[in-house]
Amino acid sequence: MYNSIVVLGPTACGKTALAVQLAYALGGEIISADSRQVYKGLDIGSGKDLNEFDLPISDGKIFHVPYHLIDVVSLPTEYSVYDFQQDAYRAFSKITEKKALPVIVGGTGMYLDSLVRGYDLVKVPVNHALRQELSGATMEELINRLVQEKGQLHNSTDLTERHRLIRAIEIAIYSKVKPVEKAQMPSRPEIKPLILGTTFPRDILRSNIKLRLRSRLKEGMIEEVKKIHDSGIEWQQLERLGLEYRFVSEYLQGKILSQDKLFSGLNVAIGQFAKRQETWFRGMERKGIKINWLEPGSVDQRFKEAMNIIGTSF
């Protein structure tokens, strides 16, 4: 019935540690579905702890669980859902050719949805003339333009940030000129995942987010962002790479006046982001996707429950 496993959940709930244990137990390999960990150099702010893929086993030995789609592209390259889907298809096929089990893990809802529901995507080039035309438009004008080009809006996340709005308009216009046809779509592997969801009650999740944010700041997240900017990456692109990179970029530009304000504002924003992630996953369920939610607990507890579900499903 199934040929893969998906582990999903909001930020700061231990998804990767759980997925790595499952991959080790089941002879699997990880496919990361994280929109920032694909980038080389985005390490601390993206939570790219590669040590999680090294599991201690007997006699002091370490077993390395293979992973895919981490550190696959360099800035300033823009990595899209289309790019992820194509790379994930290739990784999935390579893993199954080795008779191993693909274990897909992440919290980027659109990445996960593009595999689970098989989005029909095509490569949409940048329309520089359109971007110049829209450069002076207000957010309200951009939303109206998107409605005009697209008609009905299904994805409200496109309305929250300026660059998302402009890209959505770009895609809508391109799709009208060159509509997606079945003949255009690349061959894709058949993905039949057993989906495991994991999260915590809101107060515990917020506590985890706060502790992790303090840790990342101590590890040098501010210095990481400064180093990336000093390498030639513009602030505008850094601000598009997720909350941590946006807030730290604003702090380094003097838009946020102290580290205390940086911490408090970013902590609240990440908590709100976790809530939006859970909303996305509930939306997947409303569209008919079955998610087996695990009881909150330690990674070991959730691993045992997951293995019981897997044992009665495969």
Side-chain angles (χ1 to χ4, degrees):
M1 186 181 299
Y2 303 107
N3 64 358
S4 54
I5 292 172
V6 168
V7 180
L8 57 76
T11 190
C13 70
K15 298 182 296 293
T16 301
L18 173 60
V20 167
Q21 283 203 17
L22 291 171
Y24 172 69
L26 299 167
E29 298 187 10
I30 299 291
I31 298 176
S32 171
D34 187 296
S35 63
R36 299 180 305 165
Q37 292 187 4
V38 296
Y39 287 102
K40 298 174 184 177
L42 270 62
D43 301 327
I44 300 172
S46 71
K48 191 191 297 172
D49 187 358
L50 299 183
N51 291 330
E52 287 188 298
F53 297 92
D54 294 328
L55 292 180
I57 52 177
S58 59
D59 302 325
K61 295 179 180 178
I62 300 293
F63 182 87
H64 176 74
V65 175
Y67 60 81
H68 305 261
L69 304 198
I70 295 176
D71 288 339
V72 296
V73 67
S74 298
L75 293 168
T77 302
E78 298 269 3
Y79 194 84
S80 67
V81 180
Y82 173 88
D83 296 321
F84 167 78
Q85 189 187 55
Q86 299 308 301
D87 288 344
Y89 284 162
R90 283 189 283 269
F92 193 98
S93 296
K94 287 180 181 178
I95 294 168
T96 54
E97 284 170 8
K98 293 187 286 186
K99 307 300 182 185
L101 180 72
V103 180
I104 304 161
V105 58
T108 303
M110 193 171 289
Y111 278 18
L112 293 163
D113 216 10
S114 74
L115 298 183
V116 172
R117 297 202 297 127
Y119 287 8
D120 287 337
L121 299 173
V122 293
K123 189 75 171 177
V124 178
V126 172
N127 186 332
H128 294 287
L130 176 68
R131 292 191 175 194
Q132 182 64 31
E133 175 194 335
L134 299 176
S135 61
T138 65
M139 288 291 285
E140 184 179 0
E141 288 170 339
L142 291 174
I143 291 171
N144 291 336
R145 178 66 180 273
L146 181 59
V147 172
Q148 174 188 333
E149 299 293 348
K150 197 173 181 180
Q152 189 174 2
L153 301 183
H154 300 286
N155 181 13
S156 62
T157 59
D158 286 337
L159 309 181
T160 60
E161 297 181 14
R162 184 178 185 86
H163 76 277
R164 286 183 178 272
L165 261 174
I166 292 174
R167 182 58 177 165
I169 294 167
E170 201 168 53
I171 292 170
I173 292 173
Y174 182 87
S175 298
K176 288 199 296 188
V177 175
K178 295 187 177 182
V180 176
E181 299 174 1
K182 291 295 182 182
Q184 292 179 292
M185 300 306 301
S187 60
R188 66 181 76 187
E190 185 178 21
I191 299 178
K192 299 183 293 183
L194 173 69
I195 304 177
L196 303 170
T198 183
T199 189
F200 287 106
R202 191 63 49 81
D203 59 335
I204 296 176
L205 200 59
R206 286 175 176 164
S207 176
N208 289 350
I209 288 169
K210 181 179 288 188
L211 289 171
R212 191 183 65 176
L213 179 55
R214 288 195 190 281
S215 176
R216 289 183 179 180
L217 288 168
K218 287 179 181 177
E219 289 170 15
M221 186 166 70
I222 294 173
E223 292 75 13
E224 176 179 89
V225 177
K226 185 178 186 303
K227 180 180 177 182
I228 295 170
H229 175 65
D230 289 346
S231 73
I233 303 305
E234 296 181 355
W235 291 124
Q236 290 86 345
Q237 184 171 15
L238 276 164
E239 291 169 6
R240 295 198 295 269
L241 293 171
L243 293 170
E244 289 86 350
Y245 293 94
R246 187 179 87 198
F247 272 73
V248 174
S249 293
E250 291 176 352
Y251 168 74
L252 290 171
Q253 294 173 81
K255 297 177 182 178
I256 297 175
L257 300 181
S258 70
Q259 286 200 26
D260 285 343
K261 289 185 177 179
L262 167 64
F263 176 83
S264 60
L266 182 51
N267 182 54
V268 170
I270 296 172
Q272 294 169 339
F273 172 68
K275 187 176 179 180
R276 290 196 298 274
Q277 287 177 297
E278 292 183 323
T279 299
W280 182 284
F281 300 139
R282 287 195 295 271
M284 290 174 66
E285 290 181 298
R286 286 194 296 272
K287 293 167 186 170
I289 302 300
K290 169 66 174 174
I291 300 177
N292 299 275
W293 289 100
L294 305 175
E295 290 295 322
S298 69
V299 172
D300 286 342
Q301 289 171 329
R302 287 178 284 166
F303 169 76
K304 290 176 183 176
E305 183 183 359
M307 289 298 288
N308 286 335
I309 294 170
I310 292 164
T312 59
S313 301
F314 272 72

